[in-house]
Structures are given as structure tokens and as C-alpha cells.
Amino acid sequence: MRPRTWVLVLAAVFAVLQLANVTGRDTPDSRNYVSYALNLTGENKRAAAAATVDWVCAGRASLARRNQSVNVVRFHGPSPTRRVVAQCEADELGLVDRRLRAGQTDGHIAPFNAPRLRRIFEVRPGYPLFLVPFVTVFGVTWGVWLASVVVTAAGGALAFLILRTLAVPLPLALTGQALYYVLPCGATAMRPMAEGLMLALTLAAVWGCALALNRRPRAGAALVAGCLPALFAVKHSQSLFLGLCLGAAATAVAVRRRWRGRAVGRGVVAIAVAGWCAALGTVLLARLLHYPSESESLQDLLTDHYHRPDRAHPWPELLHLESSFWIEWVRRQFMEPLFVTALAAGAWGALRRPAFGCLLPAAAFTGILTQAGHPDINVWGGRLFVMAWLLPVVGVPLLLEPLARHRPALPAQGKGERQVHRVG
């Protein structure tokens, strides 16, 4: 089969497997994104909230029924579906109705949360806009699921394109695509949150870097320059982090080449300029649009989403929490070292390509920065770290490349060894 056919086959297999979990993937943040998307389709706040709550409650009921079916004590009991749906709808819609009556009707998001927390999601229109055509045509349940499948399949295809641009053999490029699906990247991208789109756009920017380093500086720079503003619309902190990391990494490559007396290259310069401009533009545009500041995000972290009074001295508390978080994180990694082992293998493979070996870890490092900005050990699934998994997704196939290219020659057989003796 042609390479594109293999890519489509892998994506199709992944999509079929996801039919096992059409519902039950939502998180508290998902309510904000889905109601945002429904409001953009023309639904009023109450209708958007009702459709979102129906989807959320159906997922909770499905999980409750499945959990009971394998519970060694309650598996023979009646189905909890009706009870869970009724309680969920009463809790969620009751809260929304009270806040709507209190006049909390601003913005695009139904008032599931307090205004300060909703404001953080109001400045992330990218993912809701991506959801709009899917929920319009297929409804909330299948629309959200299909949008997740599409964006996750696209992420795997982008991993394949990066590796093929680097002239990696086809089997290893397909391995990179498969790694994207089976590592936490795939599970996180399938959740109805902004991370799936962020992963795809970050991989597209990395593909732009690969193109720029492989004698296509204009196309590569244009792709990087296009992905960074798109990330601003999805989550502007990721645009800032990726711009800073790519700008710093490209600058380091340029300095290293100049120090060794080599030409810097237009591609490296273009990546550096795009990265630094995106970082500066993100800061300026966020200030111009009055986006929530770093202090506001910090208060959100330290007050448990504004359920407690604001902290008088948040920055010293953050530094204290950072030190405790990373000590505990390292301790847990020693018990289950898969993540750090995968990072080490990915970094080893990436460094086989000196210039690209700086840019890929720089993009993956945005996951470390995101986690450092939210040192909460209880965030489920490691989704804040998810960008770091891009390093093994692309780096491990690069590490295996010499094995794929090396084909040992078989020893020649002598005439006597080719003799076949027949019995009978």
C-alpha cells in the first residue's frame, strides 16, 4: 500500500477502537467548552446549558452503570442510570438556573462556574470554534466524539509527516504515528478539552521546523508562524511557551553554527524570528485584550478555583509549592519510571539530528512549563505534562533509525552446503 494508505489505516483502526468509549470522557472543563460551542451556534445560555448537561449526565450514568457491572458487591443490583441522571440534572441545571436568575448572563459560556473562572475559558475560543461544525451536524454526543477522533488522528498523521520529512524509513514513521495514539497523547487528545487541538498545532509547528531545516525555509517558517497565532486562540499560554522555547532553541542553534564557522541557514533564522515575535506578540495582545493575568491564574490555583479567599502573598506560596511538588513528582517517577525513561529515549534519538534535536525537546519542554505553572499533583491523567510526550513520539523512531537502515549481509553458502540429500 502507499504510505498515505497506511496512515489512513492506522487512523481508522484508532477511530474504531474509540467507539468503546463514546461517552464518559468529559471533565468539569468540558462543560465550559461545549456550552461555549453551542452558544456560538446560536443557542441561548439556557438551551446551551441544558444540552451540555444532558451530555454530561449521560456520560456519568454510563460510567456508573459500567462501574456497577464489575462491582463484586453491587453487580446484581438494579441499574443506577435513572437515579444518576436525575441527580446530575438537578444539581447542574439547578445551579445554572440560579445564576441565570441572578443576572450572570455575560459571555458565551453557561454559568457552571463563578465569573472569574469562566473568564479564563472565555479567552479560549479556538477549541469551541473547532467544535461548532461537529456539534451542529452530529449533535453534542457524536459531534464531540467525532471532533476528538479527527483532532487525535490528525496529531498522529502530523507525527508521521515530521518523521518522513526527516527522511525516516516508512515503518518507523508509522511507528511514530502509532506511538502518538498509544501513549498518553492519544488518550488526552480524545478528551473533550483544548489539549487535543494544542497537541496537533504544536506538532504542526514542529513539522514546520523540520521543513525549515530541510531546505524549505519559506514553507516551514510560514507553518510555524501560522500555528503560533492559532495556539493563541486555543490557549494563549501555550503560544507564549512554544514561541519562547522555539525562539531560544533556534537562537542556540544559530550561535552554535556561527561559533563553528558554519552558515546559520535561513530556516534557523526564520524559526527564531517567528518564535520570538510570537512570544512578544502574545504578551502584548493579551495585555491589550485584558486577558486574565498571571496573578489571576495563580489565585485560581491557590484558592481551589476561587472557592476560598484570595491569597495575600501568592508568589512566595507558589515557590514553596513548586519545591514540594517536584520533590514528590521525582519520588513518584522512581516508583514508575516509564515517563522519564521515555523522555530519555526520545531525547537520545532527537540528538542524533543536532539542529532538530534542539527544536523538538524545546517544543516538548512546554509541557514542563505548563506543569510548573500549575504545581498540582492531583491533576488527573498527567494532562499538563502531555506536551512532553511528543519527545518520545518523534524521538524514539529517530533512535531506532540506525537499526532499520542496517541490514546485515547473510554469509555466502558454499557448493557443498547447497547439496540436498534425499532419503528413500
Side-chain angles (χ1 to χ4, degrees):
M1 293 188 293
R2 293 181 178 181
R4 70 183 68 177
T5 307
W6 281 112
V7 172
L8 292 175
V9 167
L10 276 180
V13 170
F14 174 80
V16 170
L17 294 177
Q18 302 316 303
L19 287 170
N21 295 278
V22 176
T23 59
R25 299 178 188 265
D26 60 283
T27 69
D29 292 353
S30 302
R31 300 174 305 177
N32 299 307
Y33 290 120
V34 173
S35 66
Y36 197 153
L38 291 171
N39 186 253
L40 292 176
T41 65
E43 298 281 358
N44 60 43
K45 289 284 191 346
R46 182 59 172 76
T52 303
V53 167
D54 286 344
W55 170 69
V56 169
C57 295
R60 291 183 186 177
S62 175
L63 288 176
R65 178 182 54 78
R66 288 153 52 189
N67 289 336
Q68 179 177 296
S69 69
V70 293
N71 187 291
V72 295
V73 177
R74 301 184 180 89
F75 67 93
H76 55 279
S79 173
T81 300
R82 291 185 179 180
R83 173 179 54 82
V84 171
V85 169
Q87 186 63 48
C88 173
E89 290 180 348
D91 293 342
E92 297 290 345
L93 278 181
L95 178 61
V96 169
D97 287 337
R98 289 194 297 272
R99 286 176 169 168
L100 288 174
R101 287 195 298 268
Q104 297 184 24
T105 59
D106 58 312
H108 295 280
I109 299 174
F112 295 107
N113 304 111
R116 289 175 70 183
L117 183 56
R118 288 205 311 275
R119 175 61 180 162
I120 293 176
F121 291 95
E122 288 281 357
V123 300
R124 302 175 184 175
Y127 181 63
L129 283 170
F130 174 74
L131 286 178
V132 165
F134 294 96
V135 297
T136 301
V137 176
F138 300 100
V140 176
T141 299
W142 286 103
V144 171
W145 177 85
L146 185 58
S148 300
V149 168
V150 168
V151 78
T152 309
L158 285 165
F160 172 87
L161 289 172
I162 292 168
L163 291 166
R164 291 299 284 170
T165 301
L166 297 173
V168 171
L170 176 62
L172 288 181
L174 292 170
T175 300
Q177 181 185 2
L179 284 174
Y180 184 84
Y181 296 149
V182 302
L183 290 177
C185 305
T188 303
M190 277 299 301
R191 295 169 69 186
M193 299 179 67
E195 276 75 14
L197 195 52
M198 289 163 54
L199 282 163
L201 289 172
T202 301
L203 278 171
V206 174
W207 183 30
C209 294
L211 289 171
L213 294 174
N214 284 270
R215 300 181 181 180
R216 299 183 64 183
R218 290 185 179 180
L223 189 54
V224 174
C227 290
L228 290 169
L231 276 170
F232 181 90
V234 178
K235 190 176 181 182
H236 67 280
S237 62
Q238 178 64 13
S239 177
L240 173 63
F241 292 157
L242 187 59
L244 286 173
C245 290
L246 290 183
T251 302
V253 171
V255 170
R256 181 174 178 270
R257 287 182 173 181
R258 180 59 60 89
W259 182 65
R260 293 192 171 189
R262 297 173 53 195
V264 173
R266 291 187 300 168
V268 175
V269 174
I271 295 169
V273 171
W276 290 121
C277 288
L280 179 60
T282 297
V283 173
L284 294 178
L285 190 56
R287 293 290 184 267
L288 181 65
L289 297 176
H290 303 291
Y291 277 13
S293 64
E294 298 81 7
S295 298
E296 188 70 7
S297 179
L298 183 55
Q299 291 291 354
D300 171 47
L301 170 72
L302 297 176
T303 61
D304 189 22
H305 302 306
Y306 307 111
H307 288 123
R308 299 180 180 182
D310 282 10
R311 303 285 185 167
H313 305 288
W315 292 104
E317 292 188 21
L318 175 67
L319 294 177
H320 178 80
L321 185 59
E322 287 281 1
S323 61
S324 300
F325 171 85
W326 290 110
I327 291 172
E328 177 61 20
W329 183 83
V330 170
R331 182 182 292 115
R332 296 189 183 191
Q333 296 308 306
F334 287 159
M335 288 193 298
E336 298 180 11
L338 173 63
F339 180 52
V340 292
T341 303
L343 288 183
W348 188 4
L351 290 175
R352 296 188 66 254
R353 309 290 182 97
F356 186 76
C358 290
L359 295 168
L360 175 62
F365 188 67
T366 60
I368 308 297
L369 292 177
T370 301
Q371 182 67 77
H374 303 79
D376 185 353
I377 204 72
N378 296 314
V379 174
W380 181 82
R383 66 179 179 85
L384 298 178
F385 265 119
V386 70
M387 295 297 167
W389 282 103
L390 298 181
L391 184 55
V393 164
V394 179
V396 168
L398 292 174
L399 180 63
L400 298 175
E401 185 180 10
L403 299 178
R405 295 190 184 279
H406 177 63
R407 298 185 179 184
L410 296 176
Q413 293 179 321
K415 292 182 179 180
E417 292 176 297
R418 292 197 298 268
Q419 297 292 332
V420 178
H421 300 278
R422 296 183 180 180
V423 179

